[in-house]
Amino acid sequence: MYSIIVVPPPTTEDEHSDAYGDTQSGTHSGTYGDRRTSTQLRLAPGERLAFGRSAADNGLAIAHEGVSRKAGEITAQGAFWVLSNLSAHQTYVVENPEGAGEHIKVGPGRLDAPVPFEFSRIVLPAAGDLLHIEVWAPRHDYLRSPEGMDGATTAPAFSVDRTKRYFAVLAALCEPRLRGEPHAPLPTVDQVVARLRPNWPAAARTSVQWNIDYLAVKLRLKPGPDTADTGPRLNGKKESLVSLALRFDLVREDDLLVLTEPASRTAR
């Protein structure tokens, strides 16, 4: 049973075929995001795929002068995969395209680095170019909570109500990076006001800033105002809020619907 799917960088022939809507005979076709791909390599658990400029038989050859002859190796491990960086000097980055900037770095010579993402993009720096190898792990599964268990339920790590205005403010702050721009600058308070005003006509700088301050307390980025020791002033408050929200999936792309729906009148 295949568990890992590897999508090589597009070749000149692939780009030519895409331009005319053709596919080469004897290849698999598929898509991820908006890019058409003409080849998919499938690995069963335990199978390895070497890649590089002069990959061995059954390996993935990448015809680019900036890629090492033996650049790396992908090994399927059931529901996940590991990456070995066989280059002597170059660090590889493995991105999560759905993770709003989430990534891991695999340094030169690192062997069998586990990659936890369901969808991944290996970024290979190659003489001024950035080549992408996509790796999919579609067998990812998730535990379903058992029903009818006795005892008290576990308190959530972060308690947020998606019907409240503070969540709409948080979603507006996260929106640029959830739209596929992981390094996009965060919106200003005025831009958040403009984004929310169609569904929150009374939105203003003071009310949006109040909700940002409230979020910082609610998500425990700073003590509450009734605490004796208020601690140091929190710098980069918006950046800290967005980083926390995206890291722990407090705001997902599906949650951006709150920006087009009226929020509750209660700020909290």
Side-chain angles (χ1 to χ4, degrees), residues 190-208:
D190 287 335
Q191 289 172 328
V192 172
V193 170
R195 184 72 176 93
L196 296 177
R197 188 161 281 167
N199 294 300
W200 181 11
R205 284 183 55 87
T206 53
S207 55
V208 167

Side-chain angles (χ1 to χ4, degrees), residues 144-155:
R144 291 176 173 80
S145 300
E147 298 179 358
M149 294 186 66
D150 296 330
T153 58
T154 303

Side-chain angles (χ1 to χ4, degrees), residues 9-12 52-55 60-68 126 129 131:
T11 64
T12 304
R53 193 170 75 249
S54 57
L60 171 59
I62 303 176
H64 193 294
E65 62 181 4
V67 176
S68 300
D129 294 325
L131 305 182

Side-chain angles (χ1 to χ4, degrees), residues 162 167 170-171 174 178 245-246 249-253 255-256:
R162 286 167 167 76
F167 187 79
L170 184 59
C174 295
L178 283 172
L246 297 181
D249 288 337
L250 301 185
V251 182
R252 300 181 176 90
E253 190 170 359
D255 292 320
L256 297 181

Side-chain angles (χ1 to χ4, degrees), residues 178-228:
L178 283 172
R179 295 293 190 192
E181 301 180 48
H183 305 295
L186 298 184
T188 64
V189 171
D190 287 335
Q191 289 172 328
V192 172
V193 170
R195 184 72 176 93
L196 296 177
R197 188 161 281 167
N199 294 300
W200 181 11
R205 284 183 55 87
T206 53
S207 55
V208 167
Q209 188 61 58
W210 187 93
N211 278 276
I212 291 174
D213 292 338
Y214 176 73
L215 282 163
V217 174
K218 184 174 182 62
L219 299 182
R220 299 187 290 279
L221 293 179
K222 61 181 294 186
D226 55 345
T227 303

Side-chain angles (χ1 to χ4, degrees), residues 36-104:
R36 184 183 300 276
T37 59
S38 63
T39 303
Q40 294 179 4
L41 307 173
R42 299 170 183 264
L43 305 179
E47 289 186 340
R48 297 173 177 267
L49 176 68
F51 61 89
R53 193 170 75 249
S54 57
D57 292 342
N58 298 322
L60 171 59
I62 303 176
H64 193 294
E65 62 181 4
V67 176
S68 300
R69 289 189 296 273
K70 294 182 178 180
E73 189 174 68
I74 295 167
T75 305
Q77 298 285 350
F80 71 102
W81 56 283
V82 298
L83 173 64
S84 293
N85 182 349
L86 304 181
S87 70
H89 307 289
Q90 187 59 63
T91 294
Y92 299 156
V93 175
V94 183
E95 300 175 337
N96 176 8
E98 298 187 330
E102 186 179 17
H103 70 278
I104 61 175

Side-chain angles (χ1 to χ4, degrees), residues 2-52:
Y2 297 113
S3 65
I4 302 298
I5 301 172
V6 180
V7 183
T11 64
T12 304
E13 289 77 10
D14 293 335
E15 295 170 353
H16 178 77
S17 297
D18 291 346
Y20 292 93
D22 299 331
T23 57
Q24 299 175 354
S25 60
T27 61
H28 303 282
S29 63
T31 59
Y32 176 73
D34 296 326
R35 181 169 68 79
R36 184 183 300 276
T37 59
S38 63
T39 303
Q40 294 179 4
L41 307 173
R42 299 170 183 264
L43 305 179
E47 289 186 340
R48 297 173 177 267
L49 176 68
F51 61 89

